Amino acid sequence: MFTPRLAVFDMDGTLLDSVPDLAACSRELLEICHLPPLTDAEVRTMIGNGVPTLVQRVLDAGHKKLKAITSQPYVLPFTKAEAVQKFMELYTPRATRLSRLFPGTQQALEQLKSAGWLLAVCTNKPEVAAQRILDNFGLTSLFAAIGGGDSFAAHKPDPAHLLGTIKQAGGEVSRSVMIGDMPPDCGAATGAGVRFVFAAWGYGSSALAAQADAQAGSMMDIPSVLPVLLPA
């Protein structure tokens, strides 16, 4: 039985420029915790390993800034788990208030879909947030599966996350490609035995290109890069 080719996309830094909203919510959380704010550029370096890691990095950076200006002891007003919950309460309703799709994203996805590709998302962002973002941009119907960071027992860079997303989408490993911008994307693809395309327009270091099977300069290049890497 013929299985269509499957393109699996990371979300933050690949489909979506999410820094503006993630940074704004990080600053709101820091304010609640009575910690100094972070810039968009600072938060950008913390994205890619899921919300719990992002929140931990944000709180650590805020605490470090506080220690630089006062010697007073500091105690977080709630647990780390509660901080993550608070962040999601701030972020989920406003995930697309300032964030935008990268140029050419919708056109590229529609072009791939028209060419017979299956499409999926594999993101460390919680599934409910990823689903809401795709709904808000009118993209949900293009995707056969949305594998969030909490959709399976593991998340990127664990290959089980990507493998679960591929299975959910009805794809096959040998006919799948992962497109992403960060080491967790590359790590999941390598561990799963899936070809990896480095999204050079995203948040990751250009050094990651050396570990990729191919790279693309923009989402608009993806429809031409993928068929070369994985012919019909």
Side-chain angles (χ1 to χ4, degrees):
M1 181 178 175
F2 176 77
T3 301
R5 292 171 292 177
L6 171 64
V8 184
F9 292 89
D10 171 49
M11 180 167 278
D12 297 320
T14 302
L15 297 176
L16 184 74
D17 184 6
S18 55
V19 167
D21 286 304
L22 289 171
C25 291
S26 295
R27 285 189 286 272
E28 287 187 51
L29 179 64
L30 289 168
E31 184 177 3
I32 292 169
C33 295
H34 309 293
L35 290 171
L38 300 175
T39 66
D40 283 20
E42 288 172 318
V43 174
R44 176 178 173 144
T45 67
M46 303 173 185
I47 296 170
N49 292 88
V51 171
T53 300
L54 171 62
V55 169
Q56 184 65 62
R57 289 170 176 171
V58 164
L59 293 175
D60 287 347
H63 190 203
K64 183 177 180 180
K65 284 193 173 187
L66 182 67
K67 287 172 67 176
I69 59 178
T70 179
S71 59
Q72 294 297 316
Y74 174 79
V75 178
L76 190 70
F78 32 66
T79 67
K80 297 294 174 59
E82 288 170 339
V84 171
Q85 181 180 354
K86 173 59 66 175
F87 182 89
M88 288 306 300
E89 289 172 357
L90 294 168
Y91 179 69
T92 302
R94 62 154 299 158
T96 57
R97 188 179 300 174
L98 300 173
S99 301
R100 295 292 180 266
L101 298 174
F102 283 103
T105 292
Q106 183 164 351
Q107 299 92 315
L109 295 174
E110 290 175 347
Q111 190 173 339
L112 288 170
K113 187 84 170 178
S114 295
W117 286 76
L118 291 172
L119 305 178
V121 169
C122 184
T123 174
N124 280 339
K125 188 184 293 295
E127 184 178 342
V128 64
Q131 181 73 60
R132 184 172 186 135
I133 288 166
L134 295 175
D135 286 346
N136 287 355
F137 284 112
L139 300 179
T140 304
S141 63
L142 295 174
F143 291 97
I146 301 169
D150 55 357
S151 299
F152 306 99
H155 60 80
K156 298 181 296 184
D158 193 315
H161 185 185
L162 177 55
L163 291 170
T165 302
I166 291 171
K167 182 177 180 180
Q168 192 176 82
E172 290 182 359
V173 169
S174 63
R175 291 181 60 77
S176 298
V177 180
M178 175 78 205
I179 304 97
D181 67 313
M182 298 288 281
D185 305 314
C186 183
T190 300
V194 171
R195 295 168 180 83
F196 176 64
V197 175
F198 174 57
W201 64 89
Y203 305 152
S205 167
S206 59
L208 192 59
Q211 302 175 46
D213 297 290
Q215 68 172 311
S218 72
M219 271 296 295
M220 293 176 283
D221 297 329
I222 290 295
S224 60
V225 170
L226 296 193
V228 174
L229 197 59
L230 189 58

